[in-house]
Amino acid sequence: MNRTKSIRRSLTTGLPLALLLASAGTTGAEEITVPMPGPWGEGYEETLDDPASVDATEAFQRFRQQSMRGTSATYRSIEQILRYDAPFAERLPDLADELARRAADIETWFDRETPARDGDPGALPAAWADPDFAEYKASYRQAAERLQRKVETADDLADEAFQLRATKALNSVRHQCLACHDNYRRR
Ligand code: HEC
C-alpha cells in the first residue's frame, strides 16, 4: 500500500461511511462523512469530498481559490475600517501587512498550470499563456505595498484625513483585483 493510500485508509477506516455522489461541484467528487470528536461530545461529523476522489491538480486549484478568499476577507476587513468606520483602526498595520504578504504570495498560487475545466468558473488558460500576467501580479504587489507603507507611516490611524488617503490606496488595490479578474478569471 502506498503512503497516500494508507493516509486515506487512516482517515476512513472504521467510520460509518456515507458514500454519496456529490450533487454540486465540478469534479463529481464522492463524499465521505468523517467523525469530528471532541470535548463537546461524539455526535459531531462533517461530510466532505472523499480525498481519494480529489487529485493533486484539483487540490492545488482549491488551495489557490481558498487563498484568494482569504485575501478577500483581509481586503474586506480593511474596508470595514476605512470606509465604514469599524472601530478597529489599530488593526490596520497587521491587516495591511497581511494583504501585502498575500499579494507577494500570489506568485506561488499560480506555480502550477491548473486552469478551470471547460466552461467552469476558475482561472483562464491565459494566466499561464499570456506574458502580461506577470505584470498584473507585479502591479498588484506594488499597490498592496503602497497601502502597507501608507499605514506604516501614519501618525494617527484613526485620523480622518489619513483614513481618506488610505482609502484611496485601498481603491488602487481593488483596481488590481478587478483588472486581473477581468482578464484571467471566468466566473
Ligand atoms: C494577478 C491576478 C489576480 C489578482 C491581482 C487578484 N486575483 Fe483573485 N483570482 C485570480 C484568478 C485567476 C482567480 C481564479 C482562480 C481559480 O479559480 O483557480 C481568482 C479568484 C478569486 C476569488 C474566487 C475564489 C474562489 O473561491 O473561487 C476571489 C474571492 C478573489 N480572487 C479575490 C481577489 C481579491 C480580493 C483580490 C485583490 C485584493 C484579488 N483576488 C486579486 C486572479 C487574481
Side-chain angles (χ1 to χ4, degrees), residues 155-169:
D155 294 329
D156 177 2
L157 292 166
D159 176 63
E160 212 169 303
F162 154 73
Q163 290 207 356
L164 213 60
R165 288 196 302 277
T167 303
K168 283 197 181 133

Side-chain angles (χ1 to χ4, degrees), residues 26 58-72 109 114 116 121-123 186:
T26 54
E58 178 71 24
F60 192 102
Q61 187 178 335
R62 289 181 181 194
F63 182 91
R64 175 170 63 240
Q65 291 168 341
Q66 292 301 333
S67 302
M68 283 284 178
R69 288 188 206 178
T71 299
S72 180
W109 307 340
T114 51
R186 183 170 46 228

Side-chain angles (χ1 to χ4, degrees), residues 4-185:
T4 328
K5 266 200 189 128
S6 63
I7 290 169
R8 274 176 203 145
R9 178 66 65 84
S10 67
L11 260 178
T12 54
T13 2
L15 310 179
L17 290 189
L19 282 169
L20 311 158
L21 218 60
S23 54
T26 54
T27 59
E30 297 189 333
E31 292 185 340
I32 56 172
T33 299
V34 180
M36 300 289 169
W40 308 113
E42 298 297 315
Y44 296 96
E45 58 184 31
E46 184 157 84
T47 299
L48 35 79
D49 287 345
D50 183 353
S53 66
V54 176
D55 66 16
T57 300
E58 178 71 24
F60 192 102
Q61 187 178 335
R62 289 181 181 194
F63 182 91
R64 175 170 63 240
Q65 291 168 341
Q66 292 301 333
S67 302
M68 283 284 178
R69 288 188 206 178
T71 299
S72 180
T74 308
Y75 172 88
R76 294 293 180 201
S77 300
I78 297 173
E79 184 181 46
Q80 290 310 312
I81 301 169
L82 292 178
R83 219 188 291 281
Y84 300 104
D85 291 331
F88 293 95
E90 84 282 1
R91 306 278 173 85
L92 282 171
D94 275 356
L95 287 166
D97 285 354
E98 188 180 323
L99 195 70
R101 188 177 45 73
R102 288 177 163 282
D105 221 27
I106 196 175
E107 206 67 60
T108 65
W109 307 340
F110 289 92
D111 269 354
R112 201 180 293 182
E113 193 169 336
T114 51
R117 290 181 181 79
D118 287 341
D120 288 344
L124 293 171
W128 293 274
D130 177 5
D132 287 352
F133 188 61
E135 284 176 42
Y136 279 85
K137 286 184 288 186
S139 177
Y140 165 51
R141 220 166 32 238
Q142 286 157 14
E145 283 165 5
R146 276 197 298 277
L147 174 65
Q148 185 187 27
R149 272 198 303 279
K150 196 141 269 160
V151 169
E152 237 168 42
T153 55
D155 294 329
D156 177 2
L157 292 166
D159 176 63
E160 212 169 303
F162 154 73
Q163 290 207 356
L164 213 60
R165 288 196 302 277
T167 303
K168 283 197 181 133
L170 185 71
N171 291 345
S172 305
V173 173
R174 191 57 183 155
H175 171 82
Q176 300 291 335
C177 318
L178 298 173
C180 189
H181 291 169
D182 192 31
N183 287 290
Y184 300 103
R185 175 184 173 198

